Amino acid sequence: MLKLYNTLSREKQVFVPMEAGKVRMYVCGMTVYDYCHLGHARVMVVFDMVARWLRTSGLAVTYVRNITDIDDKIIRRAGENSEPIRALTDRFITAMHEDADALGVLRPDHEPRATDFVPQMLDMIGQLEKNGLAYLADNRDVCYHVRSFPGYGRLSGKSIEDLRAGERVDVAEGKRDPLDFVLWKHARADEPAEVKWPSSWGEGRPGWHIECSAMATRLLGPRFDIHGGGQDLQFPHHENEIAQSEGAHGHPYVNYWMHNGFVRVDDEKMSKSLGNFFTIREVLKRYDPEVVRFFILRAHYRSPLNYSDAHLDDARHALSRLYTALKDHDGAAMVDWDEPHARRFRAAMDDDFGTPEAVEVLFDLAAEINRGDTTLVGQLKALGNVLGLLQRSPTAFLQSGPAAQDDGLSAETIEARIAARVAAKKAKDFAEADRIRDELKDSGIVLEDSPRGTNWRRA
RNA sequence: GGCGCGAUCGCAUAGUGGUUGUGCAACGGAUUGCAAAUCCGUCUACCCCAGUUCGAUUCUGGGUCGCGCCUCCA
């Protein structure tokens, strides 16, 4: 029985799908004007894990993760680059897919682009206007009248009064209330034709929040099971989505809201605005992507996750232990769910996606295997697979490394050195054998003698 | 100012009203020509102050510190 923490109720709840055996899930994805950073990596990996676990649990999942391809920052960036919006967004969508693929993130069932759903957004805005929740402001933007929507602030635990008290928003440009947000931005003369769509309120483009409501409704229906995203989207983005969808449809929008914690650097949120972010591809130059995935899943999805080289190094060593246990064994990869470790694994995952405990089970399996119980090899591999881990050849993982690109030593060179050392050992020239080993060690290559020969791996 | 989250062994990260988890690191032993890997063992924590309790790291209240949201942000 799966329980998950629902941001809306602020407690763990038993997950009951709307339709037996099926789950409909929407996750807020990327705004594509730059490379993804580690924070994006976390959202993608976390909800990939969620989708995998739901499927492993026998549910048919429809997973939607949107792409925001129209927005102020995109327009600005395209202008700076003197390139069409579409060229810019296409480029970064490709880059995003490269990053996601590297991290073992499976493609969602749908990746809708906002610009493909403008008519649906306009329909929804029209409905909101009809319901008395949207109005055309003096500056010709169409705005959502937040005060007319009862229950605004329920998700984020904010009251309209408190928001006003701490208000730091610019003086309203035509808004009736500073809290009101834009549904439809009227077109400006200096904007490219590419970002102008006709509408009954005049030419313009969608506000940010409306796209998710419209696309989720179109692809999953007006009410669905799970909606996820980064913690920072809880307010105002998700609060506004609720106001839009419930305001338009007159019934609840989402049953379970999930928010993943931030990635931090030096105990500060990693973000574009703070400038302390690392892009995924930057990190992947120095760390194996599976190490990054492991690093993310080793922490609970709702906890903050501190990034540092030391922590990634630690994660690499830990993952190496798992792969080392798998080395020299072939095992079928089907989970036997009646086996005790698998039961613990399931219990951990069913408790709000407790990947840290699930990973712990993996280490216990590795220990059992190292003690000689090779019947558990298949379990380790198969449970690893549930998390999207441990599917490579152990040797391939162990011989790849942080320095793989620049230590300049090819496998052939290393093998040749090993052969030379074996010869030296045979001749009882241990000084020479040790010299060769130390030399390789200085290049980050660790040798391991075994009855069946000498193996090597990268430290 | 409003709202919320967190404080666990050297580092990291789980979890639990009483049996003290996991990874990395460290130390001792086994193994090894020596190593590495592995195994066995050691070290063994729960911010502070009250309260509830037979018993609290775990529950309640207060405090301190850190962080997040309230503005674009995964």
Side-chain angles (χ1 to χ4, degrees):
Chain A
M1 187 171 61
L2 173 64
K3 292 207 289 194
L4 57 82
Y5 183 87
N6 189 349
T7 308
L8 197 55
S9 63
R10 267 155 249 284
E11 61 182 12
K12 286 184 197 170
Q13 295 179 325
V14 174
F15 177 68
V16 183
M18 290 175 63
E19 199 179 333
K22 295 186 180 175
V23 184
R24 284 170 290 161
M25 175 165 84
Y26 185 96
V27 171
C28 288
M30 262 53 74
T31 300
V32 284
Y33 69 102
D34 206 343
Y35 293 114
C36 294
H37 62 233
L38 242 28
H40 299 119
R42 192 176 192 188
V43 186
M44 292 196 284
V45 169
V46 161
F47 287 100
D48 177 63
M49 172 277 291
V50 168
R52 284 174 189 250
W53 183 244
L54 293 172
R55 290 192 172 115
T56 300
S57 303
L59 296 158
V61 180
T62 306
Y63 174 23
V64 179
R65 189 185 63 211
N66 74 296
I67 294 170
T68 300
D69 64 348
I70 176 66
D71 142 276
D72 288 348
K73 292 186 289 283
I74 291 174
I75 296 171
R76 195 188 322 132
R77 182 63 59 88
E80 286 164 9
N81 296 353
S82 307
E83 68 177 331
I85 305 277
R86 185 79 189 193
L88 175 80
T89 56
D90 279 352
R91 195 150 45 85
F92 284 112
I93 288 170
T94 301
M96 173 187 79
H97 283 144
E98 286 167 4
D99 293 339
D101 291 349
L103 293 170
V105 173
L106 303 174
R107 294 285 169 94
D109 299 289
H110 301 280
E111 288 187 280
R113 298 174 63 134
T115 52
D116 289 335
F117 290 81
V118 174
Q120 285 78 10
M121 298 185 216
L122 288 170
D123 283 351
M124 192 171 242
I125 296 169
Q127 188 61 49
L128 288 170
E129 189 178 47
K130 210 174 295 172
N131 294 354
L133 291 165
Y135 62 92
L136 184 63
D138 296 341
N139 66 356
R140 289 154 50 216
D141 284 349
V142 181
C143 294
Y144 190 104
H145 193 44
V146 168
R147 280 184 176 276
S148 298
F149 179 72
Y152 189 82
R154 211 169 64 237
L155 178 70
S156 52
K158 300 182 186 307
S159 78
I160 288 182
E161 300 318 313
D162 292 341
L163 286 168
R164 282 184 70 83
E167 187 219 315
R168 283 183 276 156
V169 187
D170 294 345
V171 184
E173 341 161 343
K175 291 180 188 173
R176 288 184 195 162
D177 188 297
L179 289 175
D180 291 354
F181 58 91
V182 179
L183 294 164
W184 187 254
K185 282 189 168 174
H186 78 277
R188 308 250 170 71
D190 59 343
E191 287 173 343
E194 226 186 332
V195 302
K196 292 173 183 170
W197 284 264
S199 87
S200 54
W201 301 278
E203 263 196 342
R205 60 187 163 95
W208 174 39
H209 312 291
I210 193 67
E211 67 173 79
C212 287
S213 286
M215 294 190 284
T217 298
R218 177 55 181 264
L219 295 166
L220 298 174
R223 180 174 185 172
F224 54 94
D225 299 291
I226 297 174
H227 189 129
Q231 219 163 48
D232 44 1
L233 297 184
Q234 196 175 317
F235 187 90
H237 183 56
H238 291 160
E239 198 70 70
N240 292 349
E241 269 191 67
I242 292 173
Q244 289 167 161
S245 290
E246 301 193 356
H249 304 131
H251 60 69
Y253 174 45
V254 168
N255 291 341
Y256 303 89
W257 285 91
M258 293 179 67
H259 293 96
N260 67 273
F262 296 132
V263 175
R264 298 185 186 178
V265 177
D266 297 329
D267 282 321
E268 261 192 336
K269 176 184 172 181
M270 178 183 291
S271 75
K272 290 260 168 96
S273 32
L274 289 172
N276 61 347
F277 64 93
F278 294 86
T279 63
I280 295 173
R281 49 194 55 210
E282 244 174 332
V283 174
L284 293 188
K285 277 183 194 154
R286 294 184 300 125
Y287 292 97
D288 188 284
E290 189 171 351
V291 168
V292 177
R293 184 180 177 96
F294 177 81
F295 168 68
I296 291 171
L297 293 178
R298 196 157 62 141
H300 187 83
Y301 77 91
R302 285 191 282 119
S303 303
L305 179 62
N306 244 316
Y307 171 84
S308 74
D309 281 2
H311 295 158
L312 268 286
D313 288 338
D314 183 284
R316 160 143 185 109
H317 290 141
L319 188 56
S320 293
R321 177 171 165 80
L322 258 23
Y323 265 119
T324 300
L326 248 23
K327 205 173 56 173
D328 305 325
H329 298 296
D330 292 314
M334 276 289 285
V335 181
D336 171 6
W337 289 107
D338 291 326
E339 189 272 326
H341 292 89
R343 296 168 84 100
R344 272 176 59 208
F345 185 97
R346 160 159 278 162
M349 292 299 285
D350 273 347
D351 184 9
D352 194 30
F353 306 98
T355 55
E357 269 191 276
V359 167
E360 210 173 282
V361 172
L362 263 30
F363 282 102
D364 288 345
L365 279 166
E368 295 287 345
I369 292 167
N370 288 335
R371 278 184 211 116
D373 188 354
T374 54
T375 62
L376 292 171
V377 168
Q379 282 291 76
L380 176 53
K381 259 186 107 163
L383 289 174
N385 186 39
V386 172
L387 296 176
L389 297 170
L390 302 179
Q391 298 310 294
R392 287 193 276 165
S393 129
T395 304
F397 175 81
L398 295 167
Q399 295 189 346
S400 76
Q405 302 85 348
D406 47 89
D407 63 13
L409 287 183
S410 68
E412 291 71 31
T413 309
I414 294 165
E415 296 293 350
R417 300 309 294 150
I418 288 174
R421 177 167 168 274
V422 168
K425 278 195 359 172
K426 213 164 190 176
K428 300 283 181 198
D429 185 355
F430 293 120
E432 171 65 4
D434 290 353
R435 195 189 62 74
I436 294 172
R437 188 174 60 202
D438 291 344
E439 187 185 286
L440 285 170
K441 193 179 178 188
D442 288 342
S443 303
I445 307 299
V446 179
L447 299 189
E448 294 173 4
D449 291 336
S450 83
R452 280 180 291 172
T454 299
N455 296 312
W456 64 273
R457 66 185 168 85
R458 286 195 159 84

